[in-house]
Amino acid sequence: MNRITILIADDEQEIAGLIELHLKKEGYHCITVHNGQDAIQAVHTQPIDLAILDIMMPKFDGYEVTRQIREQYYMPIIFLSAKASDLDKIEGLVRGADDYMTKPFNPMELVARVNAHLRRIMQLTQMAPTSKPVIEVGGLVIYPEQRTVDLYGDTIELTPKEFDILYLMARHPKKVFSAENIFEQVWGEDYFEGGNTVMVHIRTLRKKLGEDKNKFIKTVWGVGYTLHG
C-alpha cells in the first residue's frame, strides 16, 4: 500500500508541528512548510494526497496556493484561518477549498476531517464499474473517468466537491436531493450543520454553469435541488 502524503503549510511553526505530530500518529507521511512559495514547490515536486493550508502566509497566501494547485492537481484542500465569520468561510470554499477550520482548533477534529476526505477519495477511486459511462445532460457532458465537465463544448474548471455534487445529481436526473442527502453522500459524513457548506458549493457550481443563461440546477423550495437538462 502506498503511503499517504499530506502537505502542511502554516507560518506558525508551533501549530504546524502540532498538526504534523497528530497526523504522523495516524500513520501519514507529512511534508511541512512555512510559506506559500515552498508549498507550491512541494506540490510540484512530489505526490501530495491532501493539503492543509493556512490562509495568511508569507510569499503566497493560501488562496494563491490553492489557485495554482487547482490548475493542475485534484486533491482535497483544508483551509486553516483565524477568520471565523460565515463570510470568511464562504470565501474560502469559493476559492477552491474543500473544508475550512478556524483557529484555535481541536487537532483531533482536524485529523477526523482529514480521514473523512481521504476516505471519500479512496471510495471514489474504488467504485465499480471500472469503466464509467459519459453522462450528457442538455449542454453538459460529464466524463467520470477524467473527472472533467464540458459545457457546450468548453471545459469548465470544477473543484473536487463541485464535481462530486454535479456527478451525483447527473446520475439521478430529476431526483430531488436535500442538502442532507448531498452532504452525506459527497462528504461521507453525518450531516449536523452541513447545510451552509452545500449551499455555498451549489451557488459556485451554478455560477460556473452559467446560471444567468442555463438553469441546470433547479431549487425545489423546502425540499432540495434537482438537475434538469
Side-chain angles (χ1 to χ4, degrees):
M1 180 178 177
N2 295 330
R3 68 178 181 178
I4 294 176
T5 300
I6 298 176
L7 172 65
I8 304 165
D10 195 313
D11 62 333
E12 296 184 68
Q13 296 190 23
E14 184 176 345
I15 290 178
L18 180 65
I19 296 170
E20 181 177 350
L21 176 66
H22 280 82
L23 289 175
K24 283 185 173 180
K25 287 181 179 179
E26 290 287 303
Y28 296 123
H29 172 64
C30 298
I31 297 171
T32 302
V33 298
H34 303 295
N35 63 70
Q37 187 176 54
D38 288 346
I40 292 169
Q41 184 178 5
V43 169
H44 287 321
T45 55
Q46 48 207 309
I48 304 293
D49 296 288
L50 180 144
I52 300 171
L53 307 177
D54 182 28
I55 292 179
M56 301 305 294
M57 293 187 290
K59 298 189 178 178
F60 293 118
D61 63 18
Y63 294 142
E64 177 60 20
V65 174
T66 298
R67 186 190 69 78
Q68 294 196 36
I69 288 176
R70 289 287 182 245
E71 288 179 350
Q72 299 183 49
Y73 304 103
Y74 200 87
M75 69 185 73
I77 295 175
I78 300 175
F79 274 158
L80 298 179
S81 177
K83 298 179 178 180
S85 74
D86 287 342
L87 287 177
D88 292 320
K89 295 177 183 178
I90 290 170
E91 175 73 7
L93 295 171
V94 168
R95 293 291 192 105
D98 298 285
D99 207 343
Y100 189 108
M101 291 193 68
T102 57
K103 298 179 179 179
F105 57 89
N106 184 327
M108 296 309 298
E109 180 184 354
L110 176 58
V111 170
R113 294 194 186 196
V114 167
N115 290 338
H117 285 291
L118 292 172
R119 182 170 61 247
R120 179 63 183 166
I121 290 295
M122 287 187 284
Q123 288 173 345
L124 289 171
T125 59
Q126 295 171 2
M127 284 174 61
T130 55
S131 180
K132 301 174 186 175
V134 171
I135 299 176
E136 296 188 33
V137 182
L140 279 174
V141 183
I142 302 170
Y143 301 92
E145 296 293 334
Q146 295 80 17
R147 294 179 65 82
T148 59
V149 176
D150 286 355
L151 175 63
Y152 297 115
D154 294 325
T155 300
I156 57 175
E157 298 296 329
L158 301 181
T159 67
K161 286 297 185 290
E162 289 167 358
F163 178 88
D164 291 342
I165 292 170
L166 184 62
Y167 183 48
L168 171 67
M169 299 175 75
R171 285 186 288 125
H172 306 278
K174 298 186 180 180
K175 175 179 177 179
V176 180
F177 289 88
S178 67
E180 181 177 357
N181 293 153
I182 294 172
F183 189 83
E184 291 183 347
Q185 293 193 52
V186 171
W187 274 262
E189 303 176 48
D190 292 335
Y191 182 63
F192 294 117
E193 298 179 357
N196 287 338
T197 300
V198 172
M199 181 185 67
V200 170
H201 281 79
I202 291 288
R203 183 189 307 163
T204 57
L205 185 53
R206 280 174 161 164
K207 183 177 180 180
K208 292 179 180 181
L209 295 177
E211 188 184 44
D212 56 330
K213 300 177 182 178
N214 313 302
K215 300 295 182 182
F216 289 106
I217 300 177
K218 178 182 178 182
T219 299
V220 180
W221 296 109
V223 183
Y225 306 96
T226 184
L227 188 67
H228 283 256

